[in-house]
Amino acid sequence: MTRKPFQSKLRPHLDFIRECRERELSYPQISAELRTRFGLSAAPSTIFAFVKVRSRRRSVVTLLARGAV
């Protein structure tokens, strides 16, 4: 039997969390807002990890042609 892939309970609130971070709210403040507005309980550390995973900047590796400086 195949299982449904795990999906964070914070995923539907990604835009809200991004807006809060743009307004420079702390993770404990975002946690309180999620609880107040949506009845969603999430620890500040959980929100931090959620944001961190989605904000990674991936480096782009380019290969130079032979003889190029």
Side-chain angles (χ1 to χ4, degrees), residues 8-35 37-38 40-55:
S8 172
K9 63 183 179 181
L10 296 174
R11 180 74 178 115
H13 307 287
L14 177 61
D15 292 333
F16 175 74
I17 294 170
R18 282 187 177 151
E19 288 173 16
C20 290
R21 292 302 297 155
E22 286 176 8
R23 293 185 302 170
E24 299 181 2
L25 267 66
S26 67
Y27 294 106
Q29 290 171 325
I30 295 172
S31 177
E33 283 293 317
L34 287 169
R35 192 175 307 108
R37 292 186 185 203
F38 305 107
L40 179 66
S41 176
S45 59
T46 302
I47 299 168
F48 170 78
F50 179 80
V51 170
K52 183 179 177 183
V53 165
R54 283 152 185 80
S55 66

Side-chain angles (χ1 to χ4, degrees), residues 51-62:
V51 170
K52 183 179 177 183
V53 165
R54 283 152 185 80
S55 66
R56 286 187 186 149
R57 302 281 187 246
R58 295 213 161 68
S59 61
V60 177
V61 178
T62 57

